[in-house]
Tab-separated table of all heavy atoms in Angstrom:
chain	number	residue	atom	x	y	z
Z	1	GLN	N	-5.545	-75.850	-97.166
Z	1	GLN	CA	-5.050	-77.115	-96.643
Z	1	GLN	C	-4.171	-77.790	-97.689
Z	1	GLN	O	-4.404	-77.650	-98.896
Z	1	GLN	CB	-6.227	-78.028	-96.271
Z	1	GLN	CG	-5.865	-79.140	-95.306
Z	1	GLN	CD	-7.092	-79.715	-94.633
Z	1	GLN	OE1	-8.071	-79.002	-94.408
Z	1	GLN	NE2	-7.039	-80.988	-94.292
Z	2	LYS	N	-3.147	-78.541	-97.206
Z	2	LYS	CA	-2.203	-79.188	-98.126
Z	2	LYS	C	-2.882	-80.290	-98.928
Z	2	LYS	O	-2.669	-80.408	-100.134
Z	2	LYS	CB	-1.027	-79.767	-97.332
Z	2	LYS	CG	-0.158	-78.708	-96.653
Z	2	LYS	CD	0.922	-79.341	-95.797
Z	2	LYS	CE	1.738	-78.261	-95.076
Z	2	LYS	NZ	2.760	-78.851	-94.171
Z	3	LYS	N	-3.707	-81.082	-98.261
Z	3	LYS	CA	-4.361	-82.204	-98.930
Z	3	LYS	C	-5.527	-81.714	-99.787
Z	3	LYS	O	-6.390	-80.984	-99.318
Z	3	LYS	CB	-4.871	-83.189	-97.879
Z	3	LYS	CG	-5.545	-84.430	-98.462
Z	3	LYS	CD	-6.065	-85.322	-97.345
Z	3	LYS	CE	-6.814	-86.519	-97.924
Z	3	LYS	NZ	-7.342	-87.395	-96.847
Z	4	PRO	N	-5.556	-82.118	-101.065
Z	4	PRO	CA	-6.680	-81.705	-101.918
Z	4	PRO	C	-7.993	-82.307	-101.414
Z	4	PRO	O	-8.111	-83.527	-101.286
Z	4	PRO	CB	-6.322	-82.279	-103.295
Z	4	PRO	CG	-4.862	-82.557	-103.234
Z	4	PRO	CD	-4.563	-82.904	-101.813
Z	5	ARG	N	-8.954	-81.456	-101.087
Z	5	ARG	CA	-10.276	-81.924	-100.681
Z	5	ARG	C	-11.272	-80.773	-100.720
Z	5	ARG	O	-10.894	-79.605	-100.600
Z	5	ARG	CB	-10.250	-82.531	-99.271
Z	5	ARG	CG	-10.171	-81.512	-98.129
Z	5	ARG	CD	-10.252	-82.199	-96.762
Z	5	ARG	NE	-10.214	-81.271	-95.646
Z	5	ARG	CZ	-11.286	-80.709	-95.094
Z	5	ARG	NH1	-12.488	-80.969	-95.571
Z	5	ARG	NH2	-11.156	-79.876	-94.070
Z	6	GLN	N	-12.510	-81.084	-100.903
Z	6	GLN	CA	-13.576	-80.081	-100.863
Z	6	GLN	C	-13.974	-79.876	-99.402
Z	6	GLN	O	-14.257	-80.847	-98.691
Z	6	GLN	CB	-14.791	-80.585	-101.654
Z	6	GLN	CG	-15.822	-79.512	-101.941
Z	6	GLN	CD	-15.565	-78.822	-103.262
Z	6	GLN	OE1	-14.790	-79.305	-104.074
Z	6	GLN	NE2	-16.200	-77.692	-103.477
Z	7	PHE	N	-13.962	-78.639	-98.943
Z	7	PHE	CA	-14.409	-78.374	-97.578
Z	7	PHE	C	-15.913	-78.649	-97.481
Z	7	PHE	O	-16.678	-78.396	-98.435
Z	7	PHE	CB	-14.100	-76.935	-97.171
Z	7	PHE	CG	-12.640	-76.670	-96.934
Z	7	PHE	CD1	-11.843	-76.109	-97.920
Z	7	PHE	CD2	-12.054	-77.003	-95.720
Z	7	PHE	CE1	-10.492	-75.870	-97.709
Z	7	PHE	CE2	-10.705	-76.768	-95.484
Z	7	PHE	CZ	-9.916	-76.203	-96.489
Z	8	SER	N	-16.346	-79.160	-96.336
Z	8	SER	CA	-17.753	-79.543	-96.165
Z	8	SER	C	-18.657	-78.318	-96.057
Z	8	SER	O	-18.194	-77.195	-95.829
Z	8	SER	CB	-17.912	-80.388	-94.893
Z	8	SER	OG	-17.688	-79.584	-93.731
Z	9	GLU	N	-19.967	-78.570	-96.211
Z	9	GLU	CA	-20.942	-77.486	-96.082
Z	9	GLU	C	-20.904	-76.881	-94.685
Z	9	GLU	O	-21.062	-75.670	-94.521
Z	9	GLU	CB	-22.350	-78.008	-96.382
Z	9	GLU	CG	-22.614	-78.265	-97.853
Z	9	GLU	CD	-24.070	-78.617	-98.110
Z	9	GLU	OE1	-24.890	-78.472	-97.184
Z	9	GLU	OE2	-24.384	-79.024	-99.239
Z	10	MET	N	-20.682	-77.711	-93.677
Z	10	MET	CA	-20.616	-77.211	-92.310
Z	10	MET	C	-19.400	-76.309	-92.123
Z	10	MET	O	-19.487	-75.260	-91.478
Z	10	MET	CB	-20.562	-78.379	-91.317
Z	10	MET	CG	-20.570	-77.929	-89.849
Z	10	MET	SD	-20.720	-79.293	-88.689
Z	10	MET	CE	-22.444	-79.730	-88.934
Z	11	GLU	N	-18.254	-76.698	-92.717
Z	11	GLU	CA	-17.045	-75.884	-92.617
Z	11	GLU	C	-17.237	-74.549	-93.343
Z	11	GLU	O	-16.817	-73.493	-92.858
Z	11	GLU	CB	-15.855	-76.645	-93.208
Z	11	GLU	CG	-15.379	-77.800	-92.341
Z	11	GLU	CD	-14.339	-78.654	-93.029
Z	11	GLU	OE1	-14.532	-78.972	-94.230
Z	11	GLU	OE2	-13.338	-79.009	-92.385
Z	12	GLU	N	-17.877	-74.635	-94.506
Z	12	GLU	CA	-18.136	-73.405	-95.264
Z	12	GLU	C	-19.070	-72.483	-94.478
Z	12	GLU	O	-18.847	-71.272	-94.396
Z	12	GLU	CB	-18.757	-73.752	-96.622
Z	12	GLU	CG	-18.960	-72.542	-97.518
Z	12	GLU	CD	-19.443	-72.914	-98.904
Z	12	GLU	OE1	-19.026	-73.974	-99.426
Z	12	GLU	OE2	-20.230	-72.131	-99.482
Z	13	SER	N	-20.120	-73.059	-93.881
Z	13	SER	CA	-21.061	-72.273	-93.084
Z	13	SER	C	-20.360	-71.638	-91.887
Z	13	SER	O	-20.623	-70.479	-91.538
Z	13	SER	CB	-22.206	-73.174	-92.612
Z	13	SER	OG	-23.080	-72.460	-91.778
Z	14	PHE	N	-19.451	-72.399	-91.254
Z	14	PHE	CA	-18.694	-71.888	-90.115
Z	14	PHE	C	-17.883	-70.660	-90.516
Z	14	PHE	O	-17.891	-69.627	-89.823
Z	14	PHE	CB	-17.758	-72.986	-89.587
Z	14	PHE	CG	-16.916	-72.560	-88.408
Z	14	PHE	CD1	-17.368	-72.741	-87.108
Z	14	PHE	CD2	-15.673	-71.973	-88.589
Z	14	PHE	CE1	-16.604	-72.359	-86.005
Z	14	PHE	CE2	-14.900	-71.575	-87.507
Z	14	PHE	CZ	-15.367	-71.771	-86.217
Z	15	LEU	N	-17.182	-70.747	-91.653
Z	15	LEU	CA	-16.316	-69.644	-92.087
Z	15	LEU	C	-17.138	-68.411	-92.482
Z	15	LEU	O	-16.761	-67.276	-92.184
Z	15	LEU	CB	-15.433	-70.084	-93.259
Z	15	LEU	CG	-14.183	-69.219	-93.480
Z	15	LEU	CD1	-13.205	-69.407	-92.329
Z	15	LEU	CD2	-13.506	-69.546	-94.806
Z	16	VAL	N	-18.273	-68.640	-93.156
Z	16	VAL	CA	-19.143	-67.524	-93.546
Z	16	VAL	C	-19.665	-66.801	-92.307
Z	16	VAL	O	-19.695	-65.563	-92.242
Z	16	VAL	CB	-20.320	-68.029	-94.413
Z	16	VAL	CG1	-21.377	-66.934	-94.582
Z	16	VAL	CG2	-19.825	-68.497	-95.774
Z	17	THR	N	-20.077	-67.578	-91.283
Z	17	THR	CA	-20.579	-66.990	-90.042
Z	17	THR	C	-19.482	-66.213	-89.323
Z	17	THR	O	-19.711	-65.117	-88.799
Z	17	THR	CB	-21.139	-68.088	-89.121
Z	17	THR	OG1	-22.081	-68.882	-89.842
Z	17	THR	CG2	-21.818	-67.477	-87.900
Z	18	LEU	N	-18.270	-66.787	-89.300
Z	18	LEU	CA	-17.141	-66.119	-88.665
Z	18	LEU	C	-16.818	-64.800	-89.368
Z	18	LEU	O	-16.563	-63.776	-88.723
Z	18	LEU	CB	-15.914	-67.040	-88.682
Z	18	LEU	CG	-14.636	-66.492	-88.027
Z	18	LEU	CD1	-14.881	-66.164	-86.553
Z	18	LEU	CD2	-13.494	-67.492	-88.175
Z	19	ALA	N	-16.866	-64.817	-90.703
Z	19	ALA	CA	-16.590	-63.599	-91.482
Z	19	ALA	C	-17.608	-62.509	-91.163
Z	19	ALA	O	-17.262	-61.325	-91.060
Z	19	ALA	CB	-16.600	-63.916	-92.978
Z	20	ALA	N	-18.880	-62.910	-91.010
Z	20	ALA	CA	-19.928	-61.929	-90.680
Z	20	ALA	C	-19.683	-61.309	-89.309
Z	20	ALA	O	-19.927	-60.113	-89.091
Z	20	ALA	CB	-21.296	-62.600	-90.729
Z	21	GLN	N	-19.190	-62.121	-88.372
Z	21	GLN	CA	-18.919	-61.627	-87.021
Z	21	GLN	C	-17.744	-60.646	-87.016
Z	21	GLN	O	-17.807	-59.582	-86.402
Z	21	GLN	CB	-18.611	-62.809	-86.089
Z	21	GLN	CG	-19.776	-63.758	-85.869
Z	21	GLN	CD	-20.831	-63.189	-84.944
Z	21	GLN	OE1	-20.530	-62.407	-84.059
Z	21	GLN	NE2	-22.079	-63.559	-85.159
Z	22	ILE	N	-16.657	-61.006	-87.704
Z	22	ILE	CA	-15.484	-60.126	-87.679
Z	22	ILE	C	-15.684	-58.880	-88.536
Z	22	ILE	O	-14.995	-57.881	-88.346
Z	22	ILE	CB	-14.191	-60.872	-88.086
Z	22	ILE	CG1	-14.260	-61.346	-89.541
Z	22	ILE	CG2	-13.910	-62.027	-87.156
Z	22	ILE	CD1	-12.952	-61.955	-90.027
Z	23	ALA	N	-16.672	-58.929	-89.468
Z	23	ALA	CA	-16.987	-57.730	-90.262
Z	23	ALA	C	-17.423	-56.597	-89.349
Z	23	ALA	O	-17.068	-55.431	-89.560
Z	23	ALA	CB	-18.077	-58.043	-91.280
Z	24	VAL	N	-18.191	-56.940	-88.326
Z	24	VAL	CA	-18.663	-55.929	-87.374
Z	24	VAL	C	-17.484	-55.338	-86.608
Z	24	VAL	O	-17.418	-54.125	-86.370
Z	24	VAL	CB	-19.681	-56.550	-86.393
Z	24	VAL	CG1	-20.125	-55.525	-85.351
Z	24	VAL	CG2	-20.882	-57.101	-87.148
Z	25	ILE	N	-16.526	-56.204	-86.231
Z	25	ILE	CA	-15.340	-55.744	-85.497
Z	25	ILE	C	-14.507	-54.801	-86.369
Z	25	ILE	O	-14.049	-53.746	-85.919
Z	25	ILE	CB	-14.493	-56.951	-85.041
Z	25	ILE	CG1	-15.295	-57.810	-84.057
Z	25	ILE	CG2	-13.181	-56.495	-84.408
Z	25	ILE	CD1	-14.636	-59.132	-83.691
Z	26	ILE	N	-14.328	-55.176	-87.642
Z	26	ILE	CA	-13.552	-54.338	-88.562
Z	26	ILE	C	-14.234	-52.995	-88.778
Z	26	ILE	O	-13.608	-51.934	-88.720
Z	26	ILE	CB	-13.355	-55.056	-89.918
Z	26	ILE	CG1	-12.482	-56.299	-89.737
Z	26	ILE	CG2	-12.722	-54.116	-90.944
Z	26	ILE	CD1	-12.423	-57.190	-90.966
Z	27	ALA	N	-15.552	-53.031	-89.035
Z	27	ALA	CA	-16.296	-51.787	-89.272
Z	27	ALA	C	-16.213	-50.869	-88.066
Z	27	ALA	O	-16.046	-49.649	-88.203
Z	27	ALA	CB	-17.756	-52.107	-89.608
Z	28	HIS	N	-16.325	-51.442	-86.865
Z	28	HIS	CA	-16.240	-50.634	-85.651
Z	28	HIS	C	-14.855	-50.002	-85.518
Z	28	HIS	O	-14.728	-48.815	-85.182
Z	28	HIS	CB	-16.535	-51.503	-84.428
Z	28	HIS	CG	-16.389	-50.774	-83.123
Z	28	HIS	ND1	-17.279	-49.810	-82.705
Z	28	HIS	CD2	-15.430	-50.842	-82.159
Z	28	HIS	CE1	-16.902	-49.325	-81.542
Z	28	HIS	NE2	-15.783	-49.928	-81.182
Z	29	ALA	N	-13.814	-50.788	-85.801
Z	29	ALA	CA	-12.447	-50.261	-85.711
Z	29	ALA	C	-12.236	-49.118	-86.689
Z	29	ALA	O	-11.607	-48.114	-86.371
Z	29	ALA	CB	-11.441	-51.383	-85.979
Z	30	GLN	N	-12.804	-49.250	-87.896
Z	30	GLN	CA	-12.636	-48.204	-88.904
Z	30	GLN	C	-13.373	-46.929	-88.529
Z	30	GLN	O	-12.886	-45.826	-88.769
Z	30	GLN	CB	-13.089	-48.721	-90.276
Z	30	GLN	CG	-12.144	-49.766	-90.850
Z	30	GLN	CD	-12.606	-50.296	-92.192
Z	30	GLN	OE1	-13.765	-50.142	-92.572
Z	30	GLN	NE2	-11.705	-50.942	-92.911
Z	31	THR	N	-14.555	-47.066	-87.924
Z	31	THR	CA	-15.281	-45.852	-87.503
Z	31	THR	C	-14.567	-45.142	-86.368
Z	31	THR	O	-14.741	-43.944	-86.168
Z	31	THR	CB	-16.714	-46.180	-87.051
Z	31	THR	OG1	-16.661	-47.128	-85.972
Z	31	THR	CG2	-17.529	-46.757	-88.182
Z	32	GLN	N	-13.744	-45.886	-85.623
Z	32	GLN	CA	-12.954	-45.273	-84.552
Z	32	GLN	C	-11.668	-44.648	-85.079
Z	32	GLN	O	-10.855	-44.127	-84.321
Z	32	GLN	CB	-12.604	-46.317	-83.483
Z	32	GLN	CG	-13.813	-46.887	-82.756
Z	32	GLN	CD	-14.649	-45.809	-82.096
Z	32	GLN	OE1	-14.132	-44.973	-81.378
Z	32	GLN	NE2	-15.947	-45.821	-82.365
Z	33	GLY	N	-11.475	-44.721	-86.409
Z	33	GLY	CA	-10.304	-44.084	-87.002
Z	33	GLY	C	-9.082	-44.966	-87.067
Z	33	GLY	O	-7.988	-44.488	-87.375
Z	34	HIS	N	-9.207	-46.277	-86.795
Z	34	HIS	CA	-8.042	-47.164	-86.870
Z	34	HIS	C	-7.831	-47.604	-88.317
Z	34	HIS	O	-8.749	-48.101	-88.963
Z	34	HIS	CB	-8.250	-48.393	-85.987
Z	34	HIS	CG	-8.419	-48.062	-84.538
Z	34	HIS	ND1	-7.476	-47.378	-83.820
Z	34	HIS	CD2	-9.447	-48.309	-83.677
Z	34	HIS	CE1	-7.896	-47.223	-82.575
Z	34	HIS	NE2	-9.098	-47.768	-82.463
Z	35	TRP	N	-6.606	-47.448	-88.795
Z	35	TRP	CA	-6.265	-47.899	-90.139
Z	35	TRP	C	-5.666	-49.288	-89.999
Z	35	TRP	O	-4.640	-49.478	-89.378
Z	35	TRP	CB	-5.266	-46.921	-90.763
Z	35	TRP	CG	-4.929	-47.208	-92.197
Z	35	TRP	CD1	-3.688	-47.374	-92.726
Z	35	TRP	CD2	-5.845	-47.342	-93.279
Z	35	TRP	NE1	-3.774	-47.607	-94.057
Z	35	TRP	CE2	-5.087	-47.593	-94.434
Z	35	TRP	CE3	-7.237	-47.301	-93.384
Z	35	TRP	CZ2	-5.656	-47.790	-95.689
Z	35	TRP	CZ3	-7.811	-47.493	-94.626
Z	35	TRP	CH2	-7.032	-47.728	-95.760
Z	36	LEU	N	-6.310	-50.297	-90.568
Z	36	LEU	CA	-5.997	-51.671	-90.224
Z	36	LEU	C	-4.988	-52.353	-91.131
Z	36	LEU	O	-4.372	-53.332	-90.747
Z	36	LEU	CB	-7.291	-52.500	-90.230
Z	36	LEU	CG	-8.412	-51.982	-89.321
Z	36	LEU	CD1	-9.631	-52.857	-89.471
Z	36	LEU	CD2	-7.961	-51.944	-87.884
Z	37	ILE	N	-4.847	-51.902	-92.366
Z	37	ILE	CA	-3.986	-52.637	-93.278
Z	37	ILE	C	-2.539	-52.522	-92.858
Z	37	ILE	O	-2.134	-51.591	-92.174
Z	37	ILE	CB	-4.160	-52.157	-94.745
Z	37	ILE	CG1	-3.794	-50.686	-94.888
Z	37	ILE	CG2	-5.541	-52.415	-95.252
Z	37	ILE	CD1	-3.802	-50.197	-96.299
Z	38	SER	N	-1.740	-53.493	-93.289
Z	38	SER	CA	-0.361	-53.586	-92.803
Z	38	SER	C	0.494	-52.416	-93.249
Z	38	SER	O	1.459	-52.061	-92.600
Z	38	SER	CB	0.258	-54.902	-93.291
Z	38	SER	OG	0.125	-55.028	-94.693
Z	39	ASP	N	0.138	-51.791	-94.381
Z	39	ASP	CA	0.853	-50.585	-94.802
Z	39	ASP	C	0.238	-49.418	-94.037
Z	39	ASP	O	-0.738	-48.814	-94.451
Z	39	ASP	CB	0.680	-50.377	-96.317
Z	39	ASP	CG	1.275	-49.058	-96.786
Z	39	ASP	OD1	2.007	-48.429	-95.998
Z	39	ASP	OD2	1.008	-48.680	-97.938
Z	40	LYS	N	0.815	-49.109	-92.882
Z	40	LYS	CA	0.194	-48.133	-91.972
Z	40	LYS	C	0.757	-46.732	-92.172
Z	40	LYS	O	0.725	-45.919	-91.271
Z	40	LYS	CB	0.381	-48.582	-90.527
Z	40	LYS	CG	-0.406	-49.839	-90.187
Z	40	LYS	CD	-0.232	-50.233	-88.741
Z	40	LYS	CE	1.098	-50.898	-88.525
Z	40	LYS	NZ	1.277	-51.420	-87.154
Z	41	SER	N	1.287	-46.462	-93.381
Z	41	SER	CA	1.851	-45.141	-93.628
Z	41	SER	C	0.754	-44.081	-93.710
Z	41	SER	O	1.011	-42.907	-93.539
Z	41	SER	CB	2.667	-45.145	-94.919
Z	41	SER	OG	1.837	-45.484	-96.019
Z	42	VAL	N	-0.484	-44.518	-93.992
Z	42	VAL	CA	-1.586	-43.566	-94.112
Z	42	VAL	C	-2.758	-44.035	-93.251
Z	42	VAL	O	-3.181	-45.177	-93.337
Z	42	VAL	CB	-2.060	-43.440	-95.579
Z	42	VAL	CG1	-3.178	-42.407	-95.677
Z	42	VAL	CG2	-0.916	-43.063	-96.484
Z	43	GLU	N	-3.263	-43.144	-92.437
Z	43	GLU	CA	-4.489	-43.413	-91.691
Z	43	GLU	C	-5.607	-42.652	-92.369
Z	43	GLU	O	-5.462	-41.473	-92.703
Z	43	GLU	CB	-4.342	-42.936	-90.243
Z	43	GLU	CG	-5.610	-43.125	-89.423
Z	43	GLU	CD	-5.517	-42.509	-88.036
Z	43	GLU	OE1	-4.400	-42.088	-87.656
Z	43	GLU	OE2	-6.542	-42.428	-87.354
Z	44	ILE	N	-6.728	-43.319	-92.623
Z	44	ILE	CA	-7.861	-42.675	-93.295
Z	44	ILE	C	-9.042	-42.613	-92.336
Z	44	ILE	O	-9.421	-43.614	-91.735
Z	44	ILE	CB	-8.259	-43.419	-94.581
Z	44	ILE	CG1	-7.123	-43.370	-95.601
Z	44	ILE	CG2	-9.524	-42.816	-95.174
Z	44	ILE	CD1	-7.449	-44.018	-96.915
């Protein structure tokens, strides 16, 4: 954010929970063989 401020505990908790949710989506995509990074010259 442009304005200097400490994000609240609720905002931090929200982001941590969101990260945990999308981790499952990323892991599933990787097990299906999708290479996700923007440099898509190599699929692993």
Side-chain angles (χ1 to χ4, degrees):
Q1 200 162 329
K2 294 176 183 177
K3 182 182 177 181
R5 76 176 181 90
Q6 193 91 14
F7 288 97
S8 69
E9 286 187 10
M10 183 173 287
E11 288 172 316
E12 184 174 325
S13 176
F14 180 91
L15 200 68
V16 168
T17 308
L18 181 60
Q21 295 285 330
I22 64 174
V24 177
I25 297 172
I26 294 170
H28 177 71
Q30 290 179 343
T31 58
Q32 296 303 310
H34 299 302
W35 185 234
L36 304 178
I37 61 174
S38 53
D39 174 12
K40 292 182 283 185
S41 61
V42 182
E43 177 187 351
I44 296 183

